[in-house]
Amino acid sequence: MGLLNKINGPQDLKKLKRKDLTSLAKEIRAFVLETVARTGGHLAPSLGVVELILALEYVFDSSRDRIVYDVGHQTYVHKILTGRRDIFPTLRQYGGLSGFPKREESVHDAFNTGHSSTSISAALGFALARERLGEDYRSVAVIGDGAMTGGEAFEALNQAGHLGINLLVVLNDNEMSIAHNVGALSSYLSRLRADPFYTKRKKELESIMKRIPSIGPSMVNAVERLKDSVKHLFVPGMLFEELGFTYLGPINGHNIQELIEVLNKTSGMQGPILLHVLTQKGKGYPPAEQNPDVFHGVGAFNLQTGQVLKTPGPPTYTGIFSDTIVELAAGNNKIVAISAAMTGGTGLSQFAKKYPERFFDVGIAEQNAVTMAAAMALQGLRPVVALYSTFLQRAYDQAVLDVCLQQAPVVFAVDRSGIVGEDGPTHQGAFDISFLRHIPGMSIMAPKDEEELRHMLYTAFLHSVPVAIRYPRGRGIGVELTAGYQELPWGKGEVIARGKDVLLLAVGAMVYPALSVRKILEDCGVSSSVVNARFVKPLDEELILSAVRKHSCIVTLEENVLAGGFGSAVLELLAARGIVHKTLNIGLPDQFIIQGKPDTVKETLGLTPAKMAEKIVFHFCLEGKAKNKAN
Ligand SMILES: Cc1ncc(C[n+]2csc(CCOP(=O)(O)OP(=O)(O)O)c2C)c(N)n1
């Protein structure tokens, strides 16, 4: 760590001789590896860009130049080089360094990211602000080939090429999204990659063209046409150039000297530039090189063996979804499954393997996934779109117009709903109930445990309506799994414990905690009932209203923001019926939810059973009962 220990900011990096950068890269890799093995995190993306980020920091001034990292999961090296080396070991922990760029953390973080394909739009915005305000800085987007499959990236390329503005897009091409990249663009990049002499030949071609004599305007036009057709013969597509970018590359993204030279050269060039850089995901750590998808985002692991450390426990909700959808598809050949570049994460690998002709990975294109599913459903298929709650945000309009307005029977498997943990605010599944509940024709279920998830999926396919099933990240409760499937009554909840004073109306991941709350309240002399709502929409009005009448205090519990959530739905119901009651809504507050282990985050938000029970006692002034019990 001889060199790295001296780097307290980019100013120290710039003092190094170019030849020392290779040794520094080695030290940085070791430091990233050693830290992420303990904290978990996005290892393979970061290992792949060590040289690229070193070169960017060496050439540019990241406190002034605006460098936008797409997704932002590859910024560990950037953080280490920009004054955050000492706190790097706190990565992704509660109160520690964010795993993504964060303006609040450093002036070197130009733009907060976390969701894919925004970097070119943001860099374009910075470039336009620069022109408008008469300022002088470079605007750079660093985007992966996976992120390039997202529609917003194309929207921004389209605009930037049209404006001809000074902007550098660094395309970090490692042939991988989380898993192998998919799509026509990916094939196009492979062709460019396979043709390292492309740039040289392009230059030769241009000089030949210049030598062709032009006589009169019609001849000029003919020559231009000839140029175009010959260009296309040489280079299939010329996609970026046709969009108005100067294409440079492909260059070796692990050769720091070459990177620095090319980046320096771009300073003197005008207009939008696309620099195509080839890297290897997981570079320098054999287990990550061999399994870049496993090490894309990884938990703590054994550095020597590359073995991911796993504590034994019940199956995960994702695992249950995975098994169930395969089983259901066996009995219904109309079922098709769609993933947006998250086949493994959402549990669709098994389905993809078993039913390759019924599986579609659209790339990082949630909007495309949902609209496509809508049309498939309208033609009689039964698509399930499996997305993380946070990424479903991207396809809100498609859920409204393409799915619900047309009543297309699409099943949304909304994974990672609620608190997700170390990825922090950009990845919490905090909003899905709120942004789905108000869409006419949408139904929403949330299972209390993994067994109920199975029955909910089964039930969803028995109904020809749009339906979202939201379930949390991580392991189930550990309940016994039955062999068959059971149709759950549509729009009906269940009473799972009876009492007198307090009614605990819980949904999804809050049902078991509600039972724990009940136990704590009972110990305090407060009797309560627990209802598992099962459906957020349609709400089981009959059950809720009859239960409300029997209790003096009503509490709703959910892992969703309170605004527009399940509790809101209950309050709306009571208001519509003119019922005035003592109520308390428990859920996520009106703020972005911080990173940290889920239990720690819940503790901070007052969402552990003990804290919730305390809140209930305090809110309804039930201390008297507690005291009586004690006496
Ligand atoms: C809108 C959205 N959908 C899905 C994801 C999940 N995700 C994070 S990184 C990633 C792959 C990115 O691939 P690439 O841009 O090539 O970067 P690499 O990890 O290969 O460096 C995906 C799908 C996301 N961050 N944002």
Side-chain angles (χ1 to χ4, degrees), residues 310-321:
K310 280 203 175 119
T311 43
T316 60
Y317 281 92
T318 307
I320 294 291
F321 165 73

Side-chain angles (χ1 to χ4, degrees), residues 73 114 116 144-147 174 176-177 281 296 364 366 391 394:
H73 61 317
S116 164
D145 55 312
N174 56 21
M176 300 289 293
S177 193
K281 203 159 174 170
H296 172 88
I364 309 180
E366 289 80 4
F391 302 137
R394 276 279 163 96

Side-chain angles (χ1 to χ4, degrees), residues 42 44-46 48-49 70-74 100 114-118 142-149 171-179 181 279 281 292 296 340-342 363-366 387-388 390-392 394 426-427:
H42 289 98
S46 286
V49 293
D70 210 285
V71 181
H73 61 317
Q74 74 290 61
F100 296 92
H115 286 200
S116 164
S117 317
T118 60
V142 181
I143 182 167
D145 55 312
M148 198 62 124
T149 61
L171 173 59
N172 168 31
D173 179 5
N174 56 21
E175 300 175 66
M176 300 289 293
S177 193
I178 289 179
N181 203 4
T279 61
K281 203 159 174 170
H296 172 88
M342 304 289 291
I364 309 180
E366 289 80 4
L387 297 172
Y388 289 3
T390 187
F391 302 137
L392 176 57
R394 276 279 163 96
T426 53
H427 285 62

